[in-house]
Amino acid sequence: MTPSCERSLHRCGWRSDTRESTSNQCSRHAISVRGLVQGVGFRPFVFHLAHRVGLSGFVRNQTSGVWIEVEGEPEQLDQFLAGLRGELPASARVDEITCQEIPCLGEAGFRIEVSDTGSGTVVIGPDLATCDACLSELFDPTNRRFRYPFLNCTHCGPRFTIIRGVPYDRERTTMARFAFCAACRAEFDDPTDRRFHAQPTACPACGPRLAVLDVTGRARTTSEPLADAVTILRAGGIVAVKGLGGYHLACDATQPEAVAELRRRKHRDEKPFAVMCADLSTAQDLAVVSDEEAALLTSVRRPIVLLRKRDEADLSPGIAPGNSSIGIMLAYTPLHHLLLNAVHHPLVMTSGNRSEEPIAFDDAVAITRLAGIADAFLTHDRPIYTRCDDSVSRWVAGSELPIRRSRGYAPQPLALPRSCRHPTLAVGGQLKSTFALAVGTNATISHHLGDLDNAEAFRAFTDAVSHYERLLRATPALIVHDMHPDYASTRYAHERLDVPRRLAVQHHHAHLASCLAENGMDEPTIGVIFDGAGYGTDGTIWGGEFLIGDCREFQRAGHFRTVGMPGGEQATREPWRMALAYLIDAGIEPTRLTGVVRSEALRTARQLIERRTLTPLTSSVGRLFDAIAAIIGVRHRVSYEGQAAIELEALAASIGPEVAYTYDLSAETHGTVIDCRPLIAGVVADACAGVGVAQIARRFHTTLVEIVSCVCRQIRNDSGLSLVALSGGVFQNALLTLEVATRLQGEGFRVLRHSQVPPGDGGLSLGQLAIAATLAT
């Protein structure tokens, strides 16, 4: 290798095992590339790059990435390595390149070889939205794939959801049953074609086919399945549509009766529905879309993006009742594009399941479980191997804030600050479940698996763990779990008898470590961790925490004053219970609840508090949101998790800044305690004086910002720390996150936030891995 080439590798942080070449003639290099380099058009990219600079050799997939051998003049090799660094396919990500000089073979030409199925670290690519080139073909009457619902290429289409094994080749996907026609085979083998080695390549002559079924699962009498489904949708019907990772339930988003009927059949009273639009222009008609949000909407990941709904939007009011935001995603498969192009309206696209169940992805199961909801099924014969929900995200204060990391993102790995000594499995929490599997510094975080309270979701969790272990060829030697003894994930960890070691991690320490890990850091930090619930080291339910710690250890530096949760879990579904607890704690008679809650229920809950029976203590900020919402009459009962907090945020965001309520701080042996009794008294006084609920909600948010600022400044004075990590589900609140981050940065703090994994429990598994890796060193 020439000195200039070796310097190029070192500048990029790449590892080179080559010696300086003593020859000015032929050189041959063996190059190993690790990262997201399978299923993203990387081998065709290498092929074209080698041809362009005039090198011979080959490229092939191997289990741990891609192996390349190139031969030519030193200057050509330098050009090749520079291109390998700077001209990657859009969806590829390179983590490491190693290069070694080997003897020249004197061969001619460059080729793509059959994949090596040996051992090594594996990176699996996520599913990718339809690219512009394929979209152009889809609506081109002269193209042989005109209106074909399953076209794709090396830059787009299914990946993770169809993979059965690795390396990523057609025979190890659910496309294996579809033999190439001559035309598709020619494209697949042609190095100049966009479908060169695109594994899901298909056409109407040889690929999957669309079908429309009735409610019993029998084929409807039609020669045009798509047109039949469109007719049903236009008439106000509900169609179950098979997508990349499962079935959606779809209806016309502009028809109130259709939306109401979908809610009735699905037993989903108020939780917002997502809306799918044909293009960015349609989304902009429905919501206010910034440039950054537009980029997120149109990215290859195509998440549902939470946007501010326009007052004049032509949408059924039943899509997001009581909510100023709306979740919008753009069409991401050819089938979606065809549907929306034909219906001419945005469509509700909500997960194909009954409430609390995981998304249906198996055809037979979908027909059984969605019977009574769907009027018809628009399906096809390409099997889905792994279910995968849509991702949900939002743009806050200059960066993406993931709410649910799934399709388009999973299972793309993140890098840990420290390497795990042995393969390690982290099983996350109970709600919004994900797990993560680490091999070295690669943390592969699963797709969203839902709430493990549901038996079917737990089965999906265990199946997915087994699948990831097979795909990554990793047998865990350590399993990391939450401290809560009653979590299904904790029980699973203890029942995995094939794993020799276990590690219990405190819930909020995992949140702190998650934020540190995704920011590539591990140093002493002030952790502001606000969420709904997590098992504390003292046996109470934490959720309003100020920690000092890193990925090795932590201490509790402050927390909100604890109050009881009368009825335990019931209090999370009935915010009036938390209002009652906070009012009693503040010495205020709960007259504001009289008349809106049955007197018998109030009396029983009060007795639970007084007798300290079925009333666990909590410091949760999530439960404080619930209490405020109930006290001011916004929400006394919720039909989905976080509803009261979401509605309170929407109210607060509708007006400008307000002054804070008062609160007290006290120093106790286990840290600063935030006393919210003055806050509660101020909220009640405002409500009784007729102050508007939006103004009260804004004052409450301002108070939380003040509390975070004040406590962090105290901790900095005592410890000298100025790095702050914001984590926990409460920091999905855009207004609170923006104002807290802005305030702290203005006071000289460095602020770490989540931008790659959710701040809620969907990010716990990453934090658990980071702690395990650090403790092993």
Side-chain angles (χ1 to χ4, degrees):
M1 174 185 267
T2 63
S4 64
C5 189
E6 188 168 5
R7 285 195 299 271
S8 175
L9 283 172
H10 285 306
R11 278 200 306 272
C12 295
W14 296 347
R15 191 169 75 243
S16 172
D17 298 324
T18 63
R19 297 178 295 277
E20 185 174 331
S21 175
T22 58
S23 170
N24 291 324
Q25 304 301 315
C26 171
S27 294
R28 188 177 182 91
H29 296 150
I31 303 168
S32 174
V33 186
R34 293 179 55 200
L36 181 55
V37 290
Q38 293 190 23
V40 291
F42 193 82
R43 288 178 298 171
F45 155 71
V46 170
F47 181 95
H48 290 298
L49 179 61
H51 270 272
R52 191 181 77 205
V53 300
L55 296 176
S56 62
F58 66 86
V59 60
R60 68 168 175 250
N61 275 346
Q62 56 184 12
T63 304
S64 58
V66 167
W67 181 264
I68 306 167
E69 292 189 17
V70 282
E71 184 171 319
E73 297 293 332
E75 184 177 336
Q76 294 170 306
L77 292 167
D78 278 359
Q79 292 175 21
F80 178 82
L81 286 164
L84 203 60
R85 179 191 71 232
E87 303 176 23
L88 293 174
S91 302
R93 191 196 78 239
V94 170
D95 296 331
E96 181 184 61
I97 295 180
T98 60
C99 183
Q100 182 178 9
E101 192 166 343
I102 60 176
C104 289
L105 299 180
E107 62 184 345
F110 193 90
R111 64 194 182 277
I112 293 181
E113 288 197 342
V114 174
S115 298
D116 176 7
T117 58
S119 62
T121 303
V122 180
V123 176
I124 306 297
D127 299 327
L128 304 173
T130 306
C131 70
D132 290 342
C134 283
L135 193 58
S136 177
E137 291 178 343
L138 185 66
F139 292 107
D140 179 2
T142 66
N143 192 279
R144 71 187 188 92
R145 291 187 175 88
F146 176 55
R147 298 184 61 80
Y148 181 56
F150 310 102
L151 85 170
N152 61 85
C153 70
T154 56
H155 306 300
C156 67
R159 300 290 191 272
F160 170 62
T161 53
I162 63 171
I163 290 175
R164 297 179 185 272
V166 290
Y168 173 62
D169 288 310
R170 191 179 183 98
E171 62 265 27
R172 286 178 288 275
T173 74
T174 61
M175 286 296 294
R177 64 169 67 179
F178 300 99
F180 282 131
C181 66
C184 283
R185 169 55 73 179
E187 292 172 329
F188 186 83
D189 291 337
D190 181 359
T192 66
D193 195 279
R194 198 177 80 253
R195 293 186 171 87
F196 182 45
H197 280 247
Q199 304 304 327
T201 292
C203 75
C206 66
R209 298 189 177 185
L210 208 57
V212 63
L213 312 178
D214 65 19
V215 293
T216 67
R218 295 188 181 91
R220 288 167 61 95
T221 306
T222 178
S223 60
E224 295 289 341
L226 183 71
D228 195 18
V230 168
T231 299
I232 295 169
L233 289 167
R234 284 177 173 170
I238 297 165
V239 177
V241 181
K242 185 177 180 181
L244 283 179
Y247 279 81
H248 284 110
L249 290 165
C251 72
D252 187 333
T254 67
Q255 295 190 34
E257 297 82 3
V259 174
E261 183 61 15
L262 177 55
R263 286 202 178 278
R264 187 190 69 79
R265 294 184 191 179
K266 198 178 177 186
H267 304 293
R268 182 165 166 164
D269 296 336
E270 297 170 301
K271 189 174 183 179
F273 285 139
V275 172
M276 180 177 280
C277 296
D279 50 37
L280 179 60
S281 176
T282 305
Q284 291 169 327
D285 290 338
L286 304 180
V288 178
V289 183
S290 68
D291 290 344
E292 294 84 0
E293 289 165 336
L296 197 54
L297 279 169
T298 57
S299 71
V300 295
R301 302 179 185 278
R302 287 291 201 281
I304 298 168
V305 181
L306 301 184
L307 303 166
R308 183 160 59 87
K309 183 170 53 179
R310 292 189 183 277
D311 293 337
E312 69 276 16
D314 182 16
L315 287 173
S316 164
I319 286 174
N323 200 320
S324 61
S325 297
I326 184 171
I328 293 179
M329 59 180 157
L330 301 189
Y332 58 83
T333 72
L335 179 56
H336 294 149
H337 283 286
L338 291 169
L339 263 180
L340 288 158
N341 182 261
V343 175
H344 300 302
H345 286 149
L347 295 174
V348 167
M349 281 281 185
T350 188
S351 296
N353 56 9
R354 293 186 181 274
S355 292
E356 310 307 323
E357 290 182 350
I359 187 172
F361 73 107
D362 176 84
D363 298 330
V365 171
I367 291 167
T368 300
R369 291 199 174 157
L370 303 182
I373 302 179
D375 296 311
F377 294 81
L378 184 60
T379 185
H380 54 79
D381 57 350
R382 183 182 69 203
I384 298 169
Y385 194 76
T386 302
R387 60 161 57 95
C388 194
D389 280 281
D390 295 313
S391 295
V392 182
S393 199
R394 68 192 312 179
W395 191 266
V396 177
S399 65
E400 183 177 0
L401 178 64
I403 306 300
R404 183 169 75 196
R405 184 181 185 271
S406 203
R407 178 195 47 77
Y409 296 77
Q412 186 170 330
L414 302 180
L416 292 169
R418 286 186 170 84
S419 178
C420 285
R421 186 174 298 173
H422 305 286
T424 303
L425 172 65
V427 294
Q430 182 77 356
L431 305 179
K432 300 178 176 64
S433 169
T434 66
F435 62 85
L437 191 56
V439 178
T441 58
N442 262 10
T444 300
I445 303 169
S446 77
H447 53 293
H448 168 79
L449 291 158
D451 297 349
L452 300 187
D453 294 327
N454 179 274
E456 183 58 32
F458 182 69
R459 280 193 292 273
F461 169 87
T462 59
D463 290 347
V465 170
S466 298
H467 182 49
Y468 275 67
E469 289 179 5
R470 288 193 303 270
L471 282 182
L472 301 180
R473 298 185 176 181
T475 302
L478 171 67
I479 189 165
V480 195
H481 60 87
D482 195 273
M483 281 179 53
H484 199 302
D486 294 330
Y487 278 2
S489 55
T490 301
R491 293 195 300 271
Y492 171 83
H494 286 285
E495 290 167 3
R496 278 290 299 265
L497 301 181
D498 60 315
V499 181
R501 293 188 297 131
R502 285 154 194 78
L503 173 67
V505 169
Q506 200 279 325
H507 190 92
H508 299 90
H509 186 202
H511 274 306
L512 169 60
S514 176
C515 191
L516 288 172
E518 76 154 78
N519 284 281
M521 302 184 73
D522 182 14
E523 61 182 80
T525 306
I526 302 168
V528 182
I529 318 297
F530 292 173
D531 65 0
Y535 191 74
T537 56
D538 59 359
T540 64
I541 298 172
W542 291 7
E545 309 307 311
F546 292 84
L547 308 180
I548 295 176
D550 52 25
C551 291
R552 182 177 296 276
E553 59 189 1
F554 78 97
Q555 68 183 64
R556 198 181 192 193
H559 63 86
F560 281 69
R561 174 184 166 90
T562 58
V563 298
M565 288 177 60
E569 280 295 309
Q570 190 67 17
T572 66
R573 295 182 287 274
E574 297 180 339
W576 67 262
R577 292 174 179 267
M578 292 310 306
L580 177 66
Y582 272 99
L583 289 168
I584 290 175
D585 186 55
I588 300 172
E589 277 300 309
T591 54
R592 296 197 58 79
L593 301 178
T594 304
V596 295
V597 179
R598 289 184 300 109
S599 57
E600 181 181 349
L602 272 175
R603 184 169 56 253
T604 300
R606 187 163 194 160
Q607 289 173 348
L608 291 177
I609 294 169
E610 292 168 349
R611 297 171 183 175
R612 300 183 180 181
T613 304
L614 292 176
T615 306
L617 294 176
T618 184
S619 59
S620 167
V621 173
R623 300 289 77 80
L624 178 59
F625 266 89
D626 287 349
I628 300 298
I631 289 170
I632 65 176
V634 169
R635 178 65 54 180
H636 295 100
R637 294 172 179 80
V638 298
S639 61
Y640 61 91
E641 187 197 8
Q643 183 178 11
I646 289 169
E647 294 179 357
L648 212 58
E649 177 191 356
L651 287 166
S654 69
I655 63 171
E658 287 284 339
V659 297
Y661 291 110
T662 58
Y663 58 90
D664 288 333
L665 299 180
S666 61
E668 300 189 10
T669 55
H670 49 278
T672 300
V673 175
I674 301 103
D675 187 342
C676 289
R677 288 177 292 184
L679 161 64
I680 297 298
V683 168
V684 171
D686 272 357
C688 291
V691 175
V693 291
Q695 187 176 350
I696 296 173
R698 186 62 184 241
R699 289 192 70 185
F700 170 61
H701 278 73
T702 302
T703 308
L704 291 179
V705 175
E706 292 285 345
I707 289 170
V708 172
S709 168
C710 185
V711 176
C712 284
R713 282 186 280 112
Q714 280 192 6
I715 295 173
R716 180 170 60 183
N717 291 340
D718 294 339
S719 66
L721 297 176
S722 60
L723 182 64
V724 178
L726 307 179
S727 192
V730 169
F731 284 109
Q732 293 175 169
N733 181 315
L735 176 63
L736 183 65
T737 299
L738 172 62
E739 296 201 342
V740 166
T742 301
R743 177 69 173 270
L744 291 176
Q745 288 165 346
E747 293 171 343
F749 289 95
R750 290 185 296 148
V751 179
L752 302 179
R753 293 169 39 217
H754 288 275
S755 62
Q756 299 187 71
V757 300
D761 285 5
L764 282 176
S765 57
L766 175 63
Q768 291 170 345
L769 281 184
I771 292 167
T774 303
L775 291 176
T777 57

